[in-house]
Amino acid sequence: MPTVDAAPRARGARTGPAASAGAGSGAAGADLVLEHVTMVRRGLTLVDDLSLTVRPGQTLAVTGPSGAGKTTLLRAVSGLSPTDGGSVARP
């Protein structure tokens, strides 16, 4: 399965109004929220019960070997593919 890491930018963080506009604002409508997302393709569970919140200014890294489900997850995040369970709320 892919590894997902959402963390505030540390080194090389951008500065200025665009970078700080959402930081710490708590504006849930501007967050990317995945709740209990499950995705099964060709009989393989690629994403299993994934929940996370990515706030403006955070960086999301999705890593894993070939065939682990990285593109499948990103297609769900972008709205191009449906999930088999859970929900995705986009800003």
Side-chain angles (χ1 to χ4, degrees), residues 20-74:
S20 61
S25 67
D31 297 344
L32 169 66
V33 180
L34 281 70
E35 293 182 340
H36 305 287
V37 170
T38 297
M39 301 186 75
V40 179
R41 299 295 183 265
R42 297 179 310 273
L44 298 172
T45 301
L46 300 176
V47 179
D48 187 21
D49 196 33
L50 174 66
S51 296
L52 64 88
T53 299
V54 182
R55 293 189 169 85
Q58 287 186 308
T59 300
L60 175 66
V62 181
T63 62
S66 179
K70 300 176 300 289
T71 300
T72 300
L73 174 61
L74 294 175

Side-chain angles (χ1 to χ4, degrees), residues 9-15 59:
R9 295 178 66 105
R11 288 183 278 160
R14 296 177 189 236
T15 59
T59 300

